Amino acid sequence: MITIRDIANQAGVSVSTASRALNDNPRISAATRRRIQSLAARLGYVPNYNAKSLTRGEANVVGVVFPPSQSSTQGNPFFIDAMRGINRVLTQRQYVLSVAIGETSDDVLANVSAMVDQAKVKRFVLLYSHEDDPVADYLRLAGLRFVIVGQPSVSHDDDYVDNDNVAAGEAGATYLIDKLHANRPVFVSSAVDWPYEQNRRQGFKQIATKRGVPTVETQLPRADAPIASITEWLENHPNIDGILATDDLIGLSFYQRWQQVHPDVQVPLVSYNRSISLPLPNVNFHSIDLYPERLGAAAAELVFRKHSTEAGHENRIILPFEQLN
């Protein structure tokens, strides 16, 4: 196996010079760096990343933190696609990802703190945002680098990657009302009512107000909630003629319950994430792609940049979403 000492001997330089050149240290001239890196490539030199980790006290690992959930949130295609983007960037940097999950915030926090204390993980991507999130509070207090996928807490200057969810709400409402001719639409969110859902609701209401369209809102109950609660709500709102849901899975779950109560009434459904790849028979279904893989990749790139507190800095990124026509 080729070692860095072999590279140094063949290049006629010291081991420290060879190490600096292979790590692109600007103290070494560009010509010398190119020569040594080219030599290393020809000899098939593979860096010892474990040794590097020990030297700088940081593992070559980025922690990817899922929102606390007692349901199947972790299996949501949005998160899978986001992780695909994260993993692509980390692979290029010779890093790997490690996932932190749990049913409660305390469970997730325990998972994250174990990563920090036992595995020396010092960089994290949070796949959610919450105003009083104990995980984000812990990472801030520990001075660790993290990036949020989603809208950050208004009380902090966290770095983040997100879509413009107010605009996304407007786009969904515009398509539902103008193109699918819904005159009495319902807005459906999760029982958690995450910040991105609140923003999409705001956009939905803004368009409905402009169009003079009356609206109603409801939340999809948790999995352990009595079925009668949502059934009663649906029975009391028989005139709904369109659905805007904050997520494909939420929208389809709500639509299935709608059909159980109103089996002979089909209404159009607009939602987000493009999670369903195959056409759905007998469902007028439209989904706005938020490009989660791009969000994940952007967050992974961002976690390697230095945090900045300057307003409007490039560490706060808003990415575009698909426009339905």
Side-chain angles (χ1 to χ4, degrees):
M1 181 172 123
I2 299 297
T3 67
I4 196 167
R5 188 173 296 279
D6 297 325
I7 303 294
N9 289 338
Q10 293 206 32
V13 298
S14 67
V15 172
S16 61
T17 296
S19 177
R20 291 191 181 103
L22 291 172
N23 285 284
D24 270 330
N25 191 310
R27 293 174 59 185
I28 307 301
S29 71
T32 299
R33 278 181 277 158
R34 286 195 298 269
R35 180 171 66 87
I36 293 175
Q37 290 170 5
S38 177
L39 174 62
R42 290 201 306 274
L43 295 176
Y45 170 69
V46 177
N48 185 336
Y49 292 108
N50 287 331
K52 281 187 172 185
S53 297
L54 291 173
T55 299
R56 66 175 188 267
E58 176 188 349
N60 282 71
V61 178
V62 169
V64 179
V65 186
F66 277 73
S69 175
Q70 297 179 352
S71 64
S72 58
T73 297
Q74 291 85 7
N76 190 313
F78 175 88
F79 296 118
I80 304 303
D81 288 342
M83 283 209 302
R84 186 177 291 113
I86 294 169
N87 189 65
R88 184 177 72 248
V89 172
L90 297 189
T91 299
Q92 295 168 354
R93 290 179 172 268
Q94 290 81 42
Y95 272 67
V96 297
L97 65 80
S98 181
V99 173
I101 60 175
E103 292 188 354
T104 68
S105 294
D106 288 343
D107 293 336
V108 178
L109 178 58
N111 199 332
V112 169
S113 61
M115 285 184 177
V116 174
D117 295 337
Q118 300 172 24
K120 304 303 180 186
V121 179
K122 294 188 176 181
R123 301 174 193 270
F124 291 86
V125 174
L126 276 59
L127 295 178
Y128 67 98
S129 63
H130 197 280
E131 180 65 25
D132 298 313
D133 179 31
V135 174
D137 288 342
Y138 166 79
L139 295 174
R140 292 186 199 101
L141 186 63
L144 298 175
R145 185 76 181 101
F146 71 97
V147 173
I148 292 172
V149 176
Q151 176 183 318
S153 164
V154 297
S155 305
H156 302 276
D157 62 347
D158 300 324
D159 294 337
Y160 65 89
V161 177
D162 199 7
N163 303 112
D164 183 339
N165 284 297
V166 174
E170 292 177 335
T174 298
Y175 192 80
L176 183 64
I177 295 170
D178 293 355
K179 300 292 185 179
L180 302 178
H181 311 296
N183 294 310
R184 295 175 300 278
V186 59
F187 182 88
V188 185
S189 62
S190 74
V192 179
D193 201 23
W194 294 101
Y196 71 85
E197 296 182 293
Q198 297 170 22
N199 287 341
R200 290 175 197 168
R201 180 188 296 109
Q202 178 184 341
F204 166 76
K205 286 184 173 180
Q206 288 174 178
I207 293 301
T209 299
K210 288 180 180 178
R211 302 294 192 273
V213 171
T215 64
V216 291
E217 304 170 26
T218 190
Q219 293 181 334
L220 190 70
R222 297 181 187 274
D224 57 355
I227 295 178
S229 61
I230 187 64
T231 299
E232 182 180 358
W233 191 95
L234 291 168
E235 289 174 345
N236 291 332
H237 295 81
N239 294 325
I240 288 171
D241 63 358
I243 303 166
L244 180 63
T246 55
D247 174 88
D248 289 342
L249 301 187
I250 289 172
L252 290 172
S253 180
F254 181 85
Y255 187 83
Q256 288 172 353
R257 299 187 189 204
W258 167 268
Q259 285 198 311
Q260 290 170 0
V261 177
H262 305 285
D264 299 324
V265 181
Q266 292 188 359
V267 297
L269 165 62
V270 177
S271 57
Y272 301 84
N273 293 340
R274 191 66 71 83
S275 302
I276 312 301
S277 57
L278 297 176
L280 297 174
N282 302 319
V283 182
N284 188 1
F285 173 60
H286 306 265
S287 183
I288 296 174
D289 196 343
L290 302 175
Y291 306 120
E293 190 167 341
R294 296 183 191 176
L295 290 169
E301 292 283 5
L302 193 53
V303 83
F304 290 98
R305 295 185 198 165
K306 186 177 179 180
H307 173 65
S308 173
T309 59
E310 297 178 3
H313 62 71
E314 61 181 5
N315 289 4
R316 296 164 191 171
I317 301 172
I318 300 296
L319 294 180
F321 55 86
E322 179 189 39
Q323 296 288 342
L324 294 178
N325 297 311

